[in-house]
Structure formats: C-alpha cells, structure tokens
Amino acid sequence: MKLKYAFEIVGDVAIFETEEKRKDKKIAEEIVKAHKRVKTVLKKISERTGVYRIRKFKLVLGKETETIHKEHGCRYRLDVRKVYFSPREGTERERTAKQVKPGERVLVMFAGIGPYPVIIAKKQPEVERICAVEINPKAVEYMKENIRINKVSDKVVPVLGDVKEVCKKWEKEFDRVIMPLPKEGYRFLDTAVKCLKPKGILHFYFYDSEKNLFNKAVGLIEKAAKKAGRKAKILSKRKVLPYGPRVWKICIEAEIK
Ligand SMILES: C[S@@+](CC[C@H](N)C(=O)[O-])C[C@H]1O[C@@H](n2cnc3c(N)ncnc32)[C@H](O)[C@@H]1O
C-alpha cells in the first residue's frame, strides 16, 4: 500500500511528516531511495514553538543533522534542530532581493541564519549596507559563517540581539525594512516604522485567514504609521504560501511617508 507523507529537503537532510503509525523507517528508506543526495531523515514531532521558532524532530535515519543548503546561487550552513529555516520560502526571498536598488540601506529584522541578507547582497551588489538582527545565538553563528562563505562580508552586518533593543538607536536610517516573522512581527511595527526613512519601504509578513484576507495586516501597518505621525501607502498585497486550512502567509509592501 502507498505510504502517505509530505516531506521537504534541506541540504542532504530530508524532513517528513505523516499520520502513518509505525512506518517511520519505511518512509525514510523510500525517501533515501528516491533522492540519492539525502543522508539523514528526520520526522517532525512538534509544531514550531518559542521565540526561536524551532521544532522537535525524531532522527529516523542517518546521524549528521548539520548541512549545507543551496538556494538561488547561495549556500547556507545550518542545523534544523537548532535554528529556523524553511526551503519553501526561497522564492519569496529571491523576489524580495530583486526589489532592492543600488545605494539602499536595508534592515532585515528576525534574520535567522541570514538567507535574506545574503541573497540581497548577492542579487544587488551595489546595496550600501544590510543590517541583519537575530536573537538566537546559534542562528547568528551560522549567519556569520553564511556571510563569509557567500563572500558578502563587505555588505552584511550581523547583529545578535532583540529587535526591540537593538533597533532603538536607529531613527529614519533605512530605505527598506524586512520583517519575516509572520506570527509575532506585528508587535515590532512601531520599531520598523521608526527605522524607516521618509518614503522607505516596509515588507510586513503576517498569517491571515482567507476571510477578509489582508484587512487586518493593512490596518496594523496604517495604525503604526499614524502613531508615528506618518502615512502608509500600500504598494502590494500578496499571498506567499498556504499555512493551514484557509490560512495564508501573506506579505504587504508599503511605503511609509
Ligand atoms: C520565521 S524565522 C525567519 C528567519 C529568517 N529570516 C529566514 O527567512 O529563514 C524568525 C526568526 O526571528 C527570530 N526572532 C524572534 N524574535 C526576535 C526578536 N525579538 N529579535 C530578533 N530576532 C527574533 C527567531 O529566532 C527566528 O530565527
């Protein structure tokens, strides 16, 4: 009988989820057989939790969980047991990077192991500077290595710390602020608005249900802009990826005047 499961591959690590009982080994063997580069197979055994947004896994096959993932010409070293990473978001990262213009100063909040800052520096080598803030020390360790292996050290500045604290010192400093924390990011909108230069661009990610999609997120951005005595002009509203039944990860891009 055909086994039912979903999986994704990060470097040479495959990660699956299933409702099948006592079939973990069989599923792992099937994945390895079909994907020769896979050396380790993990099973998801929890949702993403906590500030670091990481989940628990069961090691089903292999040993090593640290790997190098290749995406749009960039290489990222990471261990999914210790840091957040999703290969499904690669297209969105590339799309965002392509919007960055020469001379821009960019702030990437919630930067993880650095895929946004790295691909921005690669796709737009004339960017002035990218500041990348992340609270998980292990993710910052990987980000530093990823900056080095992708040869973008002259453009990307990794910063370990809480966005709320680290960004206090920045006022109207950035042409673009990227907020890839859909679950809680709205709590940092005031900070993001403060960091943006007049006419700076905000990329705000959010989870929203299909009913009235975008309304809540747009309202949150407008409220934060108004609170700072500024105005938000919505540039685009997009579905990024499905998140759950009738729930989407969305992105709103707005100019903050
Ligand atoms: C959804 S992940 C995105 C990571 C990365 N941008 C990517 O695309 O892979 C969100 C990240 O934000 C970090 N984070 C959560 N709260 C934070 C805070 N207050 N300040 C800085 N980083 C934070 C988490 O540790 C996590 O790595």
Side-chain angles (χ1 to χ4, degrees):
M1 214 169 66
K2 203 171 177 303
L3 293 164
K4 281 195 193 144
Y5 58 93
F7 74 102
E8 60 191 12
I9 298 177
V10 177
D12 58 11
V13 177
I15 301 160
F16 72 89
E17 55 189 320
T18 186
E19 282 174 13
E20 304 262 8
K21 300 267 183 287
R22 293 183 296 279
K23 292 283 191 304
D24 294 353
K25 201 92 187 181
K26 275 210 158 56
I27 291 172
E29 283 164 1
E30 197 170 285
I31 294 173
V32 169
K33 204 169 157 204
H35 301 272
K36 300 291 178 219
R37 75 173 192 276
V38 171
K39 295 203 174 73
T40 300
V41 183
L42 301 173
K43 179 188 179 185
K44 288 182 190 174
I45 54 169
S46 82
E47 293 302 317
R48 291 189 188 281
T49 57
V51 174
Y52 297 169
R53 310 300 304 141
I54 46 187
R55 65 169 96 240
K56 290 199 173 79
F57 299 96
K58 173 184 164 188
L59 181 66
V60 183
L61 217 144
K63 207 160 68 187
E64 184 56 71
T65 52
E66 188 179 79
T67 188
I68 292 201
H69 183 74
K70 293 181 190 155
E71 181 181 284
H72 300 293
C74 305
R75 291 152 58 85
Y76 305 120
R77 187 186 290 278
L78 70 128
D79 184 335
V80 291
R81 291 177 313 142
K82 298 176 184 161
V83 295
Y84 177 97
F85 185 77
S86 169
R88 296 172 73 215
E89 291 159 3
T91 308
E92 176 63 15
R93 288 190 271 269
E94 193 200 26
R95 188 187 184 285
T96 308
K98 283 180 170 167
Q99 294 183 47
V100 176
K101 299 187 183 66
E104 280 194 14
R105 291 179 64 99
V106 180
L107 171 61
V108 179
M109 296 176 156
F110 324 114
I113 58 133
Y116 271 99
V118 166
I119 193 168
I120 291 171
K122 281 272 186 203
K123 296 277 165 202
Q124 181 46 272
E126 288 178 54
V127 66
E128 191 190 308
R129 180 75 72 239
I130 306 157
C131 289
V133 185
E134 167 59 45
I135 203 167
N136 176 352
K138 190 67 198 174
V140 173
E141 217 176 274
Y142 279 127
M143 174 156 49
K144 286 180 178 166
E145 186 170 354
N146 293 330
I147 290 168
R148 189 182 57 74
I149 58 183
N150 288 282
K151 301 187 172 61
V152 290
S153 311
D154 55 333
K155 297 291 176 184
V156 185
V157 183
V159 185
L160 170 63
D162 185 337
V163 158
K164 271 249 153 73
E165 293 304 315
V166 171
C167 301
K168 263 184 189 160
K169 58 178 179 284
W170 291 317
E171 192 157 340
K172 299 188 176 153
E173 281 273 333
F174 295 95
D175 300 283
R176 195 177 293 273
V177 174
I178 300 166
M179 302 182 72
L181 182 66
K183 206 170 175 70
E184 295 274 313
Y186 67 92
R187 295 200 293 113
F188 302 83
L189 270 169
D190 292 351
T191 307
V193 166
K194 188 176 76 68
C195 288
L196 275 169
K197 290 180 186 172
K199 292 198 170 182
I201 309 290
L202 180 72
H203 298 246
F204 177 60
Y205 292 90
F206 193 64
Y207 292 130
D208 211 353
S209 62
E210 225 152 60
K211 206 171 159 229
N212 298 324
L213 196 66
F214 306 123
N215 288 5
K216 204 167 164 192
V218 167
L220 287 164
I221 294 171
E222 287 175 345
K223 191 173 154 203
K226 194 172 172 201
K227 199 170 149 196
R230 300 172 67 174
K231 245 188 132 162
K233 177 180 162 196
I234 304 302
L235 302 175
S236 72
K237 303 186 264 193
R238 287 182 299 110
K239 285 179 179 171
V240 177
L241 284 168
Y243 182 66
R246 286 178 290 282
V247 178
W248 289 85
K249 176 174 171 175
I250 59 165
C251 180
I252 310 278
E253 286 157 18
E255 184 184 86
I256 307 297
K257 295 192 186 253

